[in-house]
């Protein structure tokens, strides 16, 4: 199991050091600093073995988090734990920065004592942790006996992510379907790979212990219902259903029920959380098409023309569009003409950045650039990195639709109809690249 | 006011000041002081001098302060054991506190204080806490047992904590169950033989129930524990799988991968024809792909695991090639791993796409990545024959880019392609030669030199090219020197007239001016060879090389099996068994996959036994598996059970020592000399040579095993003599450390039978047999004249037959055969005669003529006559071939009533050129993996099962020409029973 956990700043100074196991000595702290943080060459693996000690690290801005072990631990678990650790810290004090870590070191030690015991991760749900790790030590003494046992039963219980007795005057929930659409396209416009990775994020402000059921236009479910229900209805909804390649759920979702009935039922945590992630690869709506044209004119000049076409309903508006056209390292000057938005050559980033604030569907726009090059005797050809794009669209490129989210709370007197529900769809670009 | 200020105090006299503050009356000040102490401790300052003062602050109502003091205690108690005892009272008191959080905190902290005296006091509170009414306390106490066990294992056993811990598996709270499982698993690891975790269907059922209810971490503990269980039969296996599969949709990747581990392992037990088996295979792919959209670090771990999964069960992800395409912004470690998997998944169906991608990658920035991409193109060429041509042209395009490292890498892989497809792509040599000057890396130079030497006859200025390298001979690396030496000798043998001077020069450079023993020895060998017997030299140096295999970089199957049992863990990231990187007893226990129910369809799981126990049958014959040295050197771990007399399974120590000396002498294969190709370049990934033995080229070349080089270099004087002995044996004996019998017996030859009775042939009686002597097939006959008149003018002819047997010379009956006289003749046979398939296969129709008449008879030869001396396959090749040959071609036979042990069997067969490549012992059953090659190049692979005490052996034969199986089996039987 995890033998120790260290947090360093960018200089390699240790900010937090917690050792859980006897086989990890103080020298491990230095070994990581010397061999990874200060390594001459950039480290090429997130797992490093130094003198039979294994180090797992992740970086958050310029803070290094490292877990150390001498055993054959579950590596996936260690990384998952490190991420979770980051989540917990952010939930307590915001951004993970040197300043914040130093200011909250007592809290971090307290958290580390709670969520990792002898190197075994324990309950690390912030909702539960916040009930008893408060940084107001004296207050915790005044918990009544009931309160105390409520805390412990929550921390260890089946529903560790939610506490009893939550009350809201207005029962409300917000569902965000956030998708990132990824594309790799060949210069000829052939889709080399495309997939959508989506998340359903929920903000729930519901009283009591509500039992929720979430439904979407999952092809498997709809086909099943189509068979059971009337054929007409099945045909109609079948058209709009989508094939989900795979999905994963927050631990509140009853997985065995999903496995057997493909229904998503759960008791949600209070507040913000991610209900599910999913992945689709079929029938993806690619919101933009990029058509590049690069011509080398002699050895010192490049002509680049890029056309972008928006491919969605004309009534919808895409936002925050940014096209990034890489330029060779020996670029000396760039002349740009664009039909829409603003374009700039950024020498420090070796790229032309073309920004358009808004663009409606079924439109097209174009940029042309003349790139002057310094003559070099470098034999190596320019690698021509792909043209990448960023954007945001108000629909789900996978075609996912939320069909319902039903809330039942038998003990309290509110019904599904009393809950105010909001649904929003946002499609963003993930890695959206076209080779040129 | 912020806490970060505590990190900045560096004043002198700080300790003194802190002491004062710690003893202050004001609570706030005290707390501030403790915080300062902890901050100093964090940055590595020694604040142990404050021990008594800090401990004094322990008695407080302030939980936060208490926790800080505990933190301090955990750090320094060990260095101040006497004072630490002061804290005991508080702990014991806290363990009785009405607040469960405080009780748990006390028991948690106490377990972290590794001071014997404190440990004694811990027992009573721990016992209470294990039975506490509050689950939070119980789950903390469960882990505490593991802590205590780490400090004092005996104490834990004596106090009966293990039993209490076992009871907690039935606890009503899922988290208590999970922690108890984690603690028990850890304790069980250090007691490999204890039945601590006593996994039986009832406990498994409890675990599976808790699995649905506990936290994500608890699910991981439980799944990892489940993976150690071996179900009794396929039905139990299936029912567990069914209950584990829902975990594949968990958001936590570790839960997913641990579930994959359980499924991969239990799947082994499911019959392949079961519907559920197929369903399960389908269910595994999507979650594995989903792991690739996790954070890069998790992607890396996932990819390393997918690499293993793809090797074990390629069918799972065979359609998912695209998801492994590299993204421009992937971190380099993700890119490199994806590339590896792409090659593993490359097949005829997707090769076009893969190649297009690889070509794209070859223009990227990162040098390592580009190199790997270029190398990958070469591997595709070798793996997918249909793509070879396209790969070669892609590589040529890349060479045209003139990017130095791309060119060099391309040349290295083109050399491999030449090895795989000889005489096919030599037209590109000219282009390669153009780049000669730009090569500055040893590997590329060596590859180029090999190409020039190998195709010297087609390169007009080969001598000039090689001569140009010779100028700076002593500045070259050993690899290049060795290659240059061989290449020039080859050149000389091909164009002796013009290159005499050159060869003289290189030989003297290698033998007189070099202080590298390998180079010198190789030089001397060539020198003697050339001066004693140039014809033999030609045969040796220019011999036909064995083809290289496509799967040279597969993980050795026993290791792969073990790694599959460790999916998700560090072992699967390093691709090394835990014993290679874990100290002490933990993790040394080797895990194995359970035997499959569906019979041995592949080499890795040939045992039919349905429930091979996990810990009960450690493969004793493979002691070097646990050998740390071997692991570290990244050597092929399991030595091929030598076909020569293996020493009786000796202790790991002994073999370990041998390893040290010879870099794996125990894996020394008895290689017949004729097959050897001193000039064959060693493939970069074929046999990883141990780092301390880098110049083992010669060894690698001659023996196919790096170990050989070590043994070989020592007595070079013997070489010329042994070169004449075409049968393996001489050498084998010389280097056989086991000191056994070696090859005293010859190949099996059946007793003579009468082929042609005198009645039918006007008084001529012919009895005879076949034998293979010194690599030559002989027909040995006794001709008896039972007639009244003298017989003369004997001649013999064969009808066309299955293997093209034909007399290699005339029948040597020189003197006339008088009445009642017999004569023994041995007729050497060649296998280059006309071929026609006979029925039965080994039937031979013979015509003998003498002065009286022509007589016809037919006889059958044992097919073992046709087993050639170089029939020993490389282990990797064997594996790949075994997999490659469809199962329909497999046939199984029983050999009854044979009373030999496996070593004797192996020896006997070896003398008839049936070579044992590897040996495994599974539950008292020895499995011998053998290969033999027929004169016409057909390979026959065999798996022979020998069970001690059971006189019936089972032999499974696989061959691309299944017709020969029956004959081969007959030979097996004949050889073994003889």
């Amino acid at each position: 199991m995890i033998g120790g956990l260290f947090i360093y700043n960018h200089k390699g100074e240790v900010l937090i050091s917690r050792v859980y196991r006897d086989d990890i000595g103080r020298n491990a702290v230095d070994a990581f600093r010397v061999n990874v943080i200060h390594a001459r060459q950039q480290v090429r693996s997130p797992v490093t073995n130094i003198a039979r000690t294994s180090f797992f690290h992740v970086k958050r801005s310029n803070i290094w988090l490292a877990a150390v072990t001498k055993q054959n631990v579950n590596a996936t678990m260690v990384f998952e734990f490190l991420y979770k650790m980051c989540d917990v810290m952010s939930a307590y004090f915001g951004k993970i920065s040197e300043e914040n870590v130093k200011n909250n070191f007592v809290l971090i030690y307290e958290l580390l004592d709670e969520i990792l015991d002898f190197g075994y991760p324990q309950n690390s749900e912030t909702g539960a942790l916040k009930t008893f790790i408060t940084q107001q030590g004296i207050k915790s003494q005044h918990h009544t006996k009931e309160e105390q046992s409520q805390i412990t039963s929550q921390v260890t219980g089946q529903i560790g992510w939610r506490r009893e007795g939550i009350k809201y005057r207005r029962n409300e929930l917000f569902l965000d379907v956030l998708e990132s659409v990824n594309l790799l396209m060949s210069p000829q416009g052939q889709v080399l790979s495309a997939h959508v990775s989506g998340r359903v994020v929920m903000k729930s402000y519901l009283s009591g212990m509500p039992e929720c059921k979430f439904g979407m236009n999952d092809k498997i479910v709809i086909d099943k219902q189509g068979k059971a229900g009337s054929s007409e209805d099945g045909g109609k909804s079948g058209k709009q259903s989508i094939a989900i390649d795979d999905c994963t759920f927050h631990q509140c979702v009853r997985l065995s029920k999903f496995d057997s009935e493909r229904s998503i039922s759960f008791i949600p945590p209070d507040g913000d959380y991610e209900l599910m992630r999913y992945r689709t690869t079929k029938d993806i709506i690619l919101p933009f098409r990029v058509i590049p044209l690069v011509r080398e004119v002699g050895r010192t000049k490049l002509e680049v023309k890029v056309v972008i076409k928006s491919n969605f309903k004309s009534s919808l508006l895409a936002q925050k569009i940014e096209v990034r056209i890489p330029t060779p390292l020996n670029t000396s000057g760039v002349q740009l003409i664009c039909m829409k938005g603003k374009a700039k050559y950024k020498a420090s980033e070796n790229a032309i950045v073309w920004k358009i604030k808004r663009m409606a569907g079924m439109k097209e726009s174009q940029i042309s650039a003349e790139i002057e090059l310094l003559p070099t005797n470098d034999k190596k050809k320019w690698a021509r990195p792909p043209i990448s794009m960023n954007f945001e669209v108000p629909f789900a490129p996978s075609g996912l639709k939320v069909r319902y989210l039903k809330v039942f709370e038998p003990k309290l007197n509110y019904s599904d109809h009393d809950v105010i529900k909001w649904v929003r769809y946002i499609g963003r670009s993930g890695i959206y690249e076209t080779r040129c | 006011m912020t806490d970060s200020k505590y990190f900045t105090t560096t004043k002198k006299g700080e300790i003194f000041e802190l002491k004062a503050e710690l003893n202050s009356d004001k609570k706030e000040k005290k707390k501030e002081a403790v915080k300062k102490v902890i901050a100093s401790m964090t940055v590595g300052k020694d604040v142990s001098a404050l021990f008594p003062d800090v401990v004094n602050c322990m008695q407080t109502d302030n939980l936060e302060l208490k926790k800080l003091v505990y933190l301090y205690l955990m750090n320094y108690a060990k260095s101040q054991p006497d004072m630490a005892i002061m804290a005991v009272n508080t702990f014991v008191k806290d363990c009785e506190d009405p607040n469960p959080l405080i009780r748990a905190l006390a028991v948690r902290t106490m377990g972290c204080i590794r001071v014997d005296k404190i440990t004694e006091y811990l027992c009573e509170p721990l016992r209470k806490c294990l039975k506490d009414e509050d689950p939070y306390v119980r789950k903390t106490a469960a882990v505490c047992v593991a802590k205590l066990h780490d400090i004092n294992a005996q104490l834990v056993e004596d106090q009966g904590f293990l039993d209490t811990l076992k009871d907690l598996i039935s606890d009503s709270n899922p988290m208590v169950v999970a922690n108890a499982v984690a603690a028990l698993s850890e304790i069980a690891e250090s007691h490999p033989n204890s039945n601590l975790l006593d996994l039986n269907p009832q406990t498994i059922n409890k675990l599976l129930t808790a699995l649905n209810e506990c936290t994500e971490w608890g699910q991981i503990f439980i799944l990892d524990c489940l993976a150690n269980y071996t179900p009794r039969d396929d039905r139990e296996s299936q029912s567990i799988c069914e209950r584990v599969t829902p975990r594949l949709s968990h958001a936590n990747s570790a839960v997913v991968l641990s579930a994959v581990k359980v499924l991969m392992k239990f799947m082994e037990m499911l019959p392949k024809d079961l519907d559920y088996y197929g369903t399960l295979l389908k269910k595994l792919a999507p979650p594995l792909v989903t792991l690739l959209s996790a954070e890069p670090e998790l992607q890396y771990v996932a990819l390393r695991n997918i690499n293993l999964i793809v090797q074990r069960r390629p069918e799972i992800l065979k359609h998912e090639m695209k998801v492994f395409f590299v993204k421009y912004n992937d971190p380099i470690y993700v890119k490199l791993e994806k590339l590896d998997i792409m090659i593993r998944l490359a097949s005829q169906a997707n090769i076009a796409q893969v190649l297009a991608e690889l070509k794209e990658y070859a223009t990227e920035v990162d040098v390592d990545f580009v190199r790997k991409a270029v190398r990958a193109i070469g591997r595709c060429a070798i793996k997918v024959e249909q793509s070879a041509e396209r790969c070669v042209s892609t590589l040529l395009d890349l060479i045209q880019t003139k990017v130095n490292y791309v060119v060099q890498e391309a040349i290295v892989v083109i050399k491999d392609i030449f090895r795989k497809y000889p005489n096919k792509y030599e037209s590109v040599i000219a282009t390669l030669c153009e780049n000669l000057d730009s090569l500055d890396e040893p590997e590329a130079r060596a590859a180029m030199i090999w190409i020039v030497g190998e195709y010297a006859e087609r390169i007009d200025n080969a001598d000039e090219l090689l001569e140009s390298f010779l100028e700076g001979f002593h500045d070259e690396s050993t690899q290049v020197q060795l290659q240059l030496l061989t290449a020039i000798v080859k050149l000389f043998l091909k164009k002796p007239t013009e290159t005499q001077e050159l060869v003289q020069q290189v030989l003297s450079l290698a033998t007189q001016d070099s202080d590298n023993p390998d180079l010198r020895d190789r030089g001397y060998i060539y020198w003697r060879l050339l001066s004693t017997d140039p014809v033999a030299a030609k045969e040796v140096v220019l011999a036909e090389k064995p083809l290289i295999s496509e799967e040279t970089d597969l993980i050795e199957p026993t290791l792969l099996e073990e790694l599959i049992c460790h999916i998700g863990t560090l072992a699967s990231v390093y691709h090394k068994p835990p014993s290679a990187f874990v100290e002490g007893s933990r993790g040394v226990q080797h895990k194995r996959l359970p035997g499959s129910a569906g019979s041995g369809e592949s080499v890795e799981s040939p045992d039919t036994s349905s429930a091979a126990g996990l810990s009960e049958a450690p493969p004793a014959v493979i002691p070097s598996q646990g050998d740390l040295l071997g692991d570290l050197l990244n050597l092929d771990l399991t030595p091929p059970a030598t076909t020569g007399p293996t020493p009786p399974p000796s202790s790991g120590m002994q073999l370990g020592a041998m390893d040290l000396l010879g870099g794996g002498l125990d894996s020394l294969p008895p290689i017949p000399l004729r097959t050897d190709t001193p000039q064959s370049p060693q493939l970069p990934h074929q046999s990883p040579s141990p780092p301390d033995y880098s110049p083992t080229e010669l060894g690698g070349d001659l023996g196919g095993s790096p170990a050989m080089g070590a043994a070989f270099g020592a007595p070079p004087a013997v070489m010329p003599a042994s070169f004449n002995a075409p049968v393996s044996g001489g050498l084998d004996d010389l280097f056989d450390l086991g000191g056994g019998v070696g090859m005293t017996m010859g190949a099996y030859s059946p007793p003579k039978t009468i082929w042609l009775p005198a009645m039918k042939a006007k008084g001529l009686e012919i009895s005879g047999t076949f034998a293979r002597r010194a690599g030559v097939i002989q027909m040995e006959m006794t001709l008896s004249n039972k007639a009244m008149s003298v017989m003369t003018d004997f001649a013999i002819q064969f009808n066309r037959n299955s293997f093209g047997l034909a007399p290699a010379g005339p029948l040597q009956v020189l003197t006339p055969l008088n009445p009642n006289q017999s004569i023994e003749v041995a007729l050497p046979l060649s296998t280059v005669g006309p071929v026609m398939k006979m029925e039965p296969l080994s039937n031979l129709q013979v015509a003998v003529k003498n002065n009286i008449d022509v007589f016809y008879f037919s006889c059958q030869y044992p097919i073992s006559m046709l087993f050639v001396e170089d029939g020993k396959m490389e282990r990797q090749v064997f594996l790949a071939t075994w997999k490659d040959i469809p199962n329909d071609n497999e046939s199984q036979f029983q050999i009854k009533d044979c009373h030999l042990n496996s070593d004797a069997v192996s020896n006997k067969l070896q003398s008839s050129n049936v070579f044992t490549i590897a040996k495994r012992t599974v539950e008292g059953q020895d499995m011998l993996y053998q290969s033999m090659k027929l004169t016409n190049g057909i390979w026959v692979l065999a798996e022979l099962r020998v069970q001690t005490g059971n006189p019936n052996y089972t032999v499974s034969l696989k061959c691309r020409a299944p017709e020969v199986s029956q004959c081969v089996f007959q030979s097996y039987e004949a050889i073994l029973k003889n």
Side-chain angles (χ1 to χ4, degrees), chain B residues 299-318:
Chain B
Q299 278 188 48
Y300 172 73
V301 176
L303 285 164
R304 292 292 285 176
N305 279 288
I306 289 173
N307 198 328
L308 298 172
I309 293 167
V310 162
Q311 286 184 59
R312 182 74 194 167
R313 300 205 175 272
E315 61 273 34
I316 295 178
L317 287 167
K318 66 178 175 209

Side-chain angles (χ1 to χ4, degrees), chain B residues 281-434:
Chain B
L281 275 183
K282 272 192 214 119
K283 277 194 175 167
L284 277 170
L288 288 173
V289 174
T290 299
L291 291 176
L292 298 182
S293 37
E295 288 83 350
E297 289 87 359
L298 282 170
Q299 278 188 48
Y300 172 73
V301 176
L303 285 164
R304 292 292 285 176
N305 279 288
I306 289 173
N307 198 328
L308 298 172
I309 293 167
V310 162
Q311 286 184 59
R312 182 74 194 167
R313 300 205 175 272
E315 61 273 34
I316 295 178
L317 287 167
K318 66 178 175 209
H319 299 303
E320 302 288 348
M321 171 62 92
K322 274 190 176 176
V323 298
F324 297 103
F325 284 178
V326 169
K327 291 183 194 132
Y328 190 73
N329 292 322
D330 281 338
I332 182 69
Y333 50 81
V334 169
K335 284 186 178 176
L336 292 172
E337 292 307 317
K338 281 188 173 172
L339 202 50
D340 240 4
I341 295 168
M342 277 174 67
I343 303 162
R344 295 216 193 286
L345 292 177
S347 67
Q348 207 185 327
N350 55 26
I351 194 73
Q353 258 186 329
V354 173
L355 265 182
E357 281 293 309
L358 292 176
K359 199 174 170 186
E360 196 74 33
Y361 304 159
T363 59
E364 281 225 31
V365 203
D366 190 284
V367 178
D368 281 351
F369 180 60
V370 171
R371 281 174 180 275
K372 200 162 180 174
V374 175
R375 203 161 275 221
I377 297 175
R379 273 165 71 185
C380 285
I382 291 166
K383 189 166 179 201
V384 186
E385 188 162 354
Q386 294 80 359
S387 76
E389 194 149 349
R390 249 186 307 180
C391 294
V392 171
S393 76
T394 310
L395 287 169
L396 282 180
D397 288 351
L398 289 172
I399 287 177
Q400 300 303 345
T401 62
K402 304 276 179 199
V403 178
N404 190 280
Y405 53 85
V406 173
V407 174
Q408 312 213 44
E409 208 62 44
I411 287 183
V412 172
V413 294
I414 286 181
K415 176 209 67 190
D416 290 354
I417 296 176
F418 282 169
R419 279 293 309 279
K420 170 80 180 180
Y421 311 106
N423 306 319
K424 217 165 162 190
Y425 300 110
E426 280 71 19
S427 52
V428 308
I429 291 177
T431 326
L432 303 186
C433 287
E434 285 166 22

Side-chain angles (χ1 to χ4, degrees), chain A residues 112-152:
Chain A
L112 281 176
D113 197 45
E114 186 57 45
I115 60 179
L116 211 52
D117 190 6
F118 202 40
Y120 290 105
Q122 305 292 305
N123 194 331
S124 46
E125 286 301 314
T126 19
L129 289 170
K130 279 189 169 168
T131 58
F132 69 107
I133 297 185
T134 53
Q135 278 297 287
Q136 284 150 0
I138 302 156
K139 194 181 143 201
S140 62
Q141 286 296 295
H142 298 293
H143 280 310
T144 61
K145 199 146 191 227
E146 292 82 70
E147 278 172 332
Q148 283 162 6
S149 71
Q150 204 186 333
I151 289 170
T152 57

Side-chain angles (χ1 to χ4, degrees), chain A residues 21-22 26 44 54 72-73 75 80 83 103 109-110 114 117 120 122 124 152 192 246 248-249 279 383, chain B residues 2 42 67 78 134 136 147 179 186 217 249 253 286 290 295 297 322 333 363 366 368 568 570-571 574:
Chain A
R21 298 235 168 191
D22 202 36
R26 181 83 202 172
R44 306 208 128 203
S54 300
N72 182 32
V73 296
E80 282 285 2
Y83 297 130
N103 276 333
Y109 275 126
E110 201 175 336
E114 186 57 45
D117 190 6
Y120 290 105
Q122 305 292 305
S124 46
T152 57
L192 296 173
D246 190 36
T248 59
F249 297 99
R279 193 165 48 78
Chain B
T2 63
T42 300
K67 283 182 180 173
K78 224 173 153 189
D134 193 294
Y136 183 77
K147 292 180 187 170
N179 277 5
E186 174 164 344
W217 314 115
S249 324
S253 318
T290 299
E295 288 83 350
E297 289 87 359
K322 274 190 176 176
Y333 50 81
T363 59
D366 190 284
D368 281 351
L570 263 180
Y574 294 145

